[in-house]
Amino acid sequence: MSVYRPPRIPASEITPENCFLNRRAFIATAAGGMLAATAAPAFASTLKASESRYTVDEKLTPEKDVTTYNNFYEFGLGKGDPAANSANFKPTPWTVKVDGLVGKPKEFGLEELLAMPLEDRVYRMRCVEAWSMVIPWVGFPLAALLDKVEPLGDAKYVAFETVVRREQMPGQAGYFQSLPWPYVEGLRLDEARNPLTLLSVGVYGKTLPNQNGAPIRLVVPWKYGFKGIKSIVKITLTDKQPPSTWNISAPNEYGFYANVNPKVDHPRWSQATENRIGEGGFFGANRRPTLPFNGYAEEVASLYSGMDLRANF
Ligand code: MTE
């Protein structure tokens, strides 16, 4: 994110009438398919219809853009690099260890995570670089996983960690050295428990492609996209504010909270407007105004009452 690159997405891409809502017609079992490590399978029976508050009535960003215009520095710095360089990454088998200030620490196997009650959620995604998308995720609330490990009373934060696999992630091997590894992120416990906060295991009705954070990644739609840590292997409940990779790298540019806020500019660019990928809004008239909390103020503004949002960027 140190370099602000114009998107390479053609403005002409139009979202077709989306297949993702129809996917139950071609369903295979997600866990079975994934464990067989074949091409991304569609999800099965556990899906329940989205509640309307978890859906935005805006045109979906085309699947092609969602899966080829990515930030995942473990696979390179360019937007096309994660899709181009992640074919050797193996998202199965996989476990996520949940530990720290909890009554019942546990290592969850992927099968168990895929067996959580999965939901469709259509969320806006606003990158701190001032581009945005509308993405149909499949996942389950992080709170549901936290409930299983029984957080202790002194737990105040949740820390997340991405896998380290230099042999499968060329960015970690130093070919395009950029960030300290592993990529780490954190949330306050009340943010983590907010019903909007999702652990995603799929997009567009299929298991997550490697470039989108397979097999499991965080989605926090009212915060800048960098909070959405990918390919998570560890979640730790703690009483201290956890480190966050971009905050470590450039503390004056990326804060811990990173709530989408059109009134607090990045030191090198304005956050007042954004380029919705596919709308040709990199320059000029097609840019959209950025919404406070990315349009989720009703659900989350109360988490920050009394805080100076300008200071907590
Ligand atoms: N997670 C890891 N491990 N490594 C990364 O480089 N990039 C972040 C976030 N999660 C990143 C990551 C950034 S800057 C953004 S904007 C989102 O992932 C992009 O998610 P997407 O590529 O699925 O749109």
Side-chain angles (χ1 to χ4, degrees):
M1 287 185 295
S2 50
V3 183
Y4 186 41
R5 293 183 183 78
R8 295 176 211 142
I9 305 297
S12 57
E13 290 275 2
I14 310 279
T15 307
E17 236 354 270
N18 278 294
C19 58
F20 88 101
L21 288 174
N22 298 327
R23 65 167 178 272
R24 289 168 188 81
F26 59 86
I27 266 165
T29 61
M34 201 156 186
L35 296 169
T38 52
F43 277 95
S45 53
T46 46
L47 292 158
K48 67 179 187 193
S50 296
E51 295 171 45
S52 57
R53 62 198 271 235
Y54 300 132
T55 299
V56 296
D57 192 17
E58 292 171 32
K59 194 172 79 171
L60 296 180
T61 302
E63 181 176 5
K64 184 163 178 291
D65 296 340
V66 172
T67 57
T68 58
Y69 188 87
N70 298 103
N71 278 331
F72 200 169
Y73 277 33
E74 284 87 337
F75 295 108
L77 308 185
K79 295 288 183 272
D81 290 344
N85 298 333
S86 62
N88 293 331
F89 183 74
K90 302 266 179 292
T92 55
W94 197 269
T95 59
V96 178
K97 187 174 183 183
V98 188
D99 65 5
L101 299 174
V102 297
K104 294 187 173 168
K106 181 169 169 169
E107 191 150 358
F108 291 86
L110 184 57
E111 319 79 71
E112 212 172 335
L113 298 169
L114 291 172
M116 299 286 284
L118 301 179
E119 297 174 43
D120 297 310
R121 301 261 180 125
V122 179
Y123 283 163
R124 288 179 214 95
M125 200 274 249
R126 170 59 156 85
C127 178
V128 74
E129 295 165 330
W131 52 266
S132 64
M133 297 188 185
V134 177
I135 304 179
W137 300 107
V138 179
F140 57 90
L142 172 60
L145 189 72
L146 297 178
D147 285 344
K148 286 185 178 286
V149 296
E150 299 180 5
L152 300 177
D154 46 353
K156 299 280 180 291
Y157 295 91
V158 185
F160 304 85
E161 209 175 292
T162 293
V163 73
V164 176
R165 285 193 195 162
R166 290 186 175 78
E167 67 292 358
Q168 291 178 16
M169 299 174 126
Q172 289 181 338
Y175 295 128
F176 347 89
Q177 192 48 50
S178 46
L179 295 170
W181 313 112
Y183 193 100
V184 291
E185 258 305 336
L187 293 173
R188 248 175 28 198
L189 183 56
D190 57 348
E191 297 176 321
R193 297 197 71 96
N194 186 277
L196 284 172
T197 304
L198 198 70
L199 281 172
S200 168
V201 292
V203 69
Y204 264 97
K206 299 172 209 149
T207 52
L208 283 179
N210 288 344
Q211 60 270 26
N212 290 90
I216 185 162
R217 56 93 53 91
L218 184 69
V219 180
V220 195
W222 72 94
K223 293 179 179 281
Y224 290 119
F226 68 86
K227 299 295 287 184
I229 182 171
K230 297 178 169 179
S231 304
I232 297 168
V233 287
K234 196 161 170 227
I235 299 177
T236 304
L237 285 278
T238 165
D239 56 358
K240 293 179 192 62
Q241 183 174 299
S244 145
T245 290
W246 280 101
N247 179 250
I248 296 167
S249 301
N252 59 324
E253 299 193 359
Y254 309 106
F256 172 79
Y257 281 92
N259 292 321
V260 174
N261 189 341
K263 292 195 175 141
V264 177
D265 287 340
H266 184 280
R268 290 183 282 125
W269 58 82
S270 165
Q271 294 293 26
T273 61
E274 67 201 53
N275 167 28
R276 176 69 51 86
I277 298 297
E279 290 185 351
F282 183 63
F283 298 111
N286 288 340
R287 291 183 75 84
R288 287 173 171 256
T290 286
L291 304 172
F293 296 105
N294 204 22
Y296 299 97
E298 209 176 298
E299 286 93 340
V300 300
S302 63
L303 294 173
Y304 310 101
S305 55
M307 273 178 76
D308 179 354
L309 293 173
R310 287 184 161 260
N312 292 286
F313 61 96

